[in-house]
Amino acid sequence: MTLGSIFESAAIDAALRNTPFAGQMHFFPSIHSTNTHAMAAGEHGAPHGSVFFADEQTAGRGRSSHQWQSPAGCGIYASILLRPTIAPGDALWFSLAAGLAAQDAIAQVTTLKTDLRWPNDLMLGKRKFGGILTEMNAEATRIRYLVIGIGINVLHPAFSPDLAPIATSLLIETGLPWSRQEILIALLQSLHRETSALSDPATSDAGQSSILDRVEAMSTWVRGRRVRVDEGEGFTGVTEGLDARGFLRVRTAQGLRTVFSGGVRDF
Amino acid sequence: MNPEELEQLKELIEFLKENQIGEFALERGDLKVSVKFGGEQTAQPGMDVASLARLLAMQSPAGAVAPPVHVPVPSVAPQMHASAEVSSSAEASEEADLHIVKSPIVGTFYESPSPGASAFVKIGDRVENGQVLCIVEAMKLMNEIESDAAGEVVKRLVQNGQPVEYGQPLFALKKV
């Protein structure tokens, strides 16, 4: 069966046969938001490893109700549902791991060296080409389900004037029509590697430590960068690495602050 | 107030002193704390909110019945003229039925699904077990916090946009 004109179901399943995603890829020619759909599917019992992806999103979204422009034929819009048996607090590692997985997938397929803006924005220079929004439904001590939503601008030919200064795509950067299917497969393989390491008690400590090291190595934002953080009233300072939990530390005039969730921008 | 809570209170007062916070009030379950320093201290905008959030996580066990107590403040410099008063709520017996919903992760508390949207719940709402009460976000991970009991929302213990720590009480429900 062919999914749309671009994604081939049998080839994707075959490439993912050693992952929980094989046989669980759900494609939509058009959907409001793959994350909204995946969260609802989680509530209705969708199994671990379900992936919901679309050629077009009509209401793609990011953090703080930001929209994610998701025109048909241009991007990867995928939401991955997991039911990891880890403590809810440890789910934050999945957020960092997803950024590394996406960066690794892009490198494998395109050889592009991309940047990570904490916690997991995918950047080429000063412009963003990929974003990740993770949503979780958890009890106090147990994750019921977790949805990692990933949007990657692959074939967008251009952006509107308001977005052009801050958004880009792989096509704009390289002039080449990269295969969304190849990137999607590489992404899911990488994500499987990362999340497996974090989910297995025997390897989770090493997995966490490896993530801290790799984010430090793969991101120009983590150290020595002058930033503005829109957390609370907002503040500015210079980034000073990650703490043991993966939170970004920023040296401000008033002392060292820990960034939980704020958007981090150049200042 | 048990020795551990007394320790936490001392730590809180030290923190407030260090950051030159002039006045502080906290109401958490059946525990009420108000601290007011003399002098002309002003709050510093750059204080470490994570530390404050951790200190705010302290709470009295639900249902504890204790008479109001006056706690001496042993470690405040004399020139600060500090005083602290800790009292248990007069409605302690009534509040024994309160159920506290706590945060399972560190992050930022949001009362609504997106900025400008109406809150998931408001004081006085009847909520079911499993109903979403709020979102706690960290590292672009949005965690829907569900109620783990049915009841009436009687208190929201944190402000919209405030950082919260693991295990910090978020809502008090009166079981029905």
Side-chain angles (χ1 to χ4, degrees), chain B residues 9-138:
Chain B
L9 182 66
K10 286 178 188 171
E11 201 185 344
L12 171 64
I13 290 166
E14 274 303 302
F15 175 84
L16 297 173
K17 240 177 73 188
E18 277 168 23
N19 287 283
Q20 299 186 308
I21 304 216
E23 194 170 348
F24 174 82
L26 168 72
E27 194 171 333
R28 174 94 359 119
D30 54 4
L31 178 75
K32 287 179 185 169
V33 177
S34 72
V35 179
K36 192 171 183 177
F37 293 101
E40 296 182 350
Q41 295 82 13
T42 50
Q44 290 190 347
M47 66 188 214
D48 184 348
V49 288
S51 307
L52 183 57
R54 193 177 63 251
L55 288 162
L56 291 179
M58 68 181 219
Q59 61 157 333
S60 167
V65 180
V69 284
H70 290 273
V71 180
V73 182
S75 54
V76 177
Q79 69 272 22
M80 309 269 300
H81 306 298
S83 68
E85 182 178 324
V86 178
S87 64
S88 288
S89 166
E91 300 123 26
S93 57
E94 188 183 316
E95 297 195 357
D97 292 334
L98 287 188
H99 175 80
I100 304 294
V101 179
K102 299 176 182 178
S103 179
I105 67 168
V106 175
T108 304
F109 172 91
Y110 294 112
E111 63 178 359
S112 60
S114 57
S118 52
F120 286 105
V121 291
K122 55 185 189 300
I123 305 301
D125 280 0
R126 285 276 301 273
V127 297
E128 300 300 321
N129 195 347
Q131 184 173 336
V132 175
L133 301 178
C134 63
I135 285 176
V136 175
E137 184 217 350

Side-chain angles (χ1 to χ4, degrees), chain A residues 63 65 88-89 91-92 95 118-121 132 134-137 140 144 245-247 254 257 260-261, chain B residues 45-50 104-108 110 114-115 137-144 146 163 165:
Chain A
R63 181 175 166 271
S65 74
L92 294 178
S95 195
W118 188 91
N120 54 21
D121 284 342
I132 295 168
T134 306
E135 297 186 79
M136 175 163 82
N137 181 294
R144 292 172 61 207
R245 300 177 295 183
F247 289 117
Q254 288 80 30
R257 294 189 57 160
F260 287 143
S261 55
Chain B
M47 66 188 214
D48 184 348
V49 288
I105 67 168
V106 175
T108 304
Y110 294 112
S114 57
E137 184 217 350
M139 294 190 202
K140 288 209 289 175
L141 187 152
M142 319 294 287
N143 185 13
E144 290 180 349
E146 293 185 354
E165 278 290 332

Side-chain angles (χ1 to χ4, degrees), chain A residues 221 224-240 248-259 262-267, chain B residues 45-47:
Chain A
W221 288 77
R225 189 134 179 169
R226 183 146 200 84
V227 294
R228 180 174 59 79
V229 180
D230 69 359
E231 193 165 275
E233 300 297 303
F235 59 92
T236 60
V238 178
T239 59
E240 202 170 296
L248 183 65
R249 292 182 300 198
V250 175
R251 175 70 59 182
T252 73
Q254 288 80 30
L256 195 61
R257 294 189 57 160
T258 303
V259 184
V264 177
R265 299 289 180 270
D266 271 318
F267 179 73
Chain B
M47 66 188 214

Side-chain angles (χ1 to χ4, degrees), chain A residues 8 55 68 102 121 134 143 146 156 176 184 214 227 235 238:
Chain A
E8 299 160 316
D55 190 42
W68 189 262
D121 284 342
T134 306
I143 297 175
L146 176 113
H156 297 59
L176 296 170
L184 177 65
R214 284 181 293 144
V227 294
F235 59 92
V238 178

